[in-house]
């Protein structure tokens, strides 16, 4: 598929020749103590979105979207819980309509399910459905104190990988985005310095690395 789907983040869409190829899976790697959720929230403003939350309750997600300073949409929010999160998430994903967004936040809960073959099966089904519907899936992958052993599998399935690095330097919080993988397109070679105070934008106070 050559069609591009906007991410809702102007700085990224410009650098990615209009957006992400339709039918793609994006892995967004970021520390839990970061503003990575702004990427998810801004995506909801682009088209119909199914937001699957594996940790926080539906109301908590809804409240965060309502209070967010950036532009957001009105996604369908579902809290995936219970003893079979892979099965429950799979049923919801299978009903995703054409040209939609899917957000899974965070993916870690599904990556931790046993046996590993069940997660691989889920990812294969997800990849097929996202491609067949010309949709866009963004998987929020937490890079915290521990990383699920199947994170390599996730990044292998992903068509695009966003690595958001958040550090504290010289009394300032600095955010840098790298795109080391971009299947079906040309990945930017430069790391992008971002301002994540109210929305995702380029940090104009410093040169782009």
């Amino acid at each position: 598929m050559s069609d591009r789907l906007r991410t809702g983040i102007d700085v990224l869409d410009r650098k990615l020749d209009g957006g992400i190829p339709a039918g793609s899976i994006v892995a967004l790697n970021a520390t839990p103590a970061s503003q990575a959720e702004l990427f998810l929230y801004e995506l909801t403003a682009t088209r119909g979105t199914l937001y699957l939350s594996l940790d926080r309750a539906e109301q908590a997600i809804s409240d965060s979207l309502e209070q967010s300073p950036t532009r957001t949409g009105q996604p369908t929010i579902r809290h995936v819980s219970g003893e079979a999160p892979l099965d429950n998430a799979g049923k919801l994903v299978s009903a995703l309509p054409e040209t939609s967004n899917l957000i899974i936040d965070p993916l870690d809960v599904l990556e931790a399910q046993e046996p590993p073959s069940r997660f691989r099966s889920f990812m294969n089904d997800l990849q097929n459905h996202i491609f067949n519907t010309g949709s866009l899936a963004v998987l929020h992958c937490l890079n915290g104190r521990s990383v699920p052993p199947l994170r390599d599998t996730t990044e292998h399935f992903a068509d695009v990988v966003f690595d958001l690095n958040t550090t504290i330097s010289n009394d300032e919080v600095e955010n840098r985005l790298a795109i080391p993988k971009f299947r079906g397109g040309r990945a930017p070679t430069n790391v992008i310095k971002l301002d994540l105070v109210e929305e995702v934008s380029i940090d104009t106070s410093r040169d782009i690395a």
Side-chain angles (χ1 to χ4, degrees):
M1 291 185 181
S2 58
D3 293 343
R4 297 275 172 150
L5 297 180
R6 294 187 305 108
T7 66
I9 301 168
D10 290 342
V11 59
L12 282 182
D13 291 337
R14 286 195 301 270
K15 288 185 173 294
L16 300 177
D17 297 325
I20 305 292
S24 296
I25 295 176
V26 179
L28 171 60
N29 295 326
T31 176
S34 74
Q35 289 286 84
E37 288 171 358
L38 286 176
F39 286 82
L40 310 181
Y41 296 169
E42 293 192 34
L43 179 66
T44 66
T46 60
R47 63 193 65 86
T49 301
L50 174 61
Y51 196 124
L52 301 186
S53 174
L54 277 298
D55 276 346
R56 298 194 293 158
E58 291 178 20
Q59 190 59 51
I61 299 293
S62 180
D63 290 344
S64 294
L65 285 164
E66 185 176 337
Q67 296 165 9
S68 176
T70 192
R71 181 169 174 260
T72 64
Q74 295 182 319
T76 298
I77 305 169
R78 294 290 182 266
H79 181 221
V80 180
S81 58
E83 297 181 356
L86 281 171
D87 293 337
N88 296 336
K91 291 175 183 176
L92 292 167
V93 169
S94 67
L96 189 73
E98 296 279 333
T99 319
S100 301
N101 293 329
L102 171 69
I103 294 172
I104 300 182
D105 175 31
L107 188 70
D108 302 51
V109 175
L110 301 183
E111 290 173 316
Q113 298 302 301
E114 295 288 348
S117 59
R118 296 192 66 240
F119 177 72
R120 295 189 184 95
S121 178
F122 169 82
M123 290 297 292
N124 271 307
D125 291 343
L126 170 64
Q127 192 168 53
N128 287 336
H129 191 71
I130 293 298
F131 182 83
N132 290 335
T133 59
S135 297
L136 176 62
V138 176
L139 315 178
H140 187 195
C141 304
L142 302 181
N143 280 344
R145 293 167 180 80
S146 61
V147 176
L150 292 180
R151 180 58 49 80
D152 285 350
T153 299
T154 296
E155 293 185 348
H156 187 221
F157 270 99
D159 300 291
V160 181
V161 175
F162 289 168
D163 277 335
L164 179 65
N165 184 31
T166 300
T167 59
I168 299 176
S169 177
N170 298 324
D171 296 327
E172 291 184 343
V173 178
E174 298 183 351
N175 294 283
R176 291 178 170 83
L177 180 70
I179 307 176
K181 181 179 182 181
F182 198 96
R183 186 180 287 150
R186 185 165 52 92
T189 57
N190 293 337
V191 173
I192 309 167
K193 293 182 180 179
L194 297 175
D195 181 349
L196 300 180
V197 177
E198 294 186 346
E199 63 180 5
V200 182
S201 60
I202 284 184
D203 185 348
T204 56
S205 66
R206 305 177 185 88
D207 294 331
I208 299 177

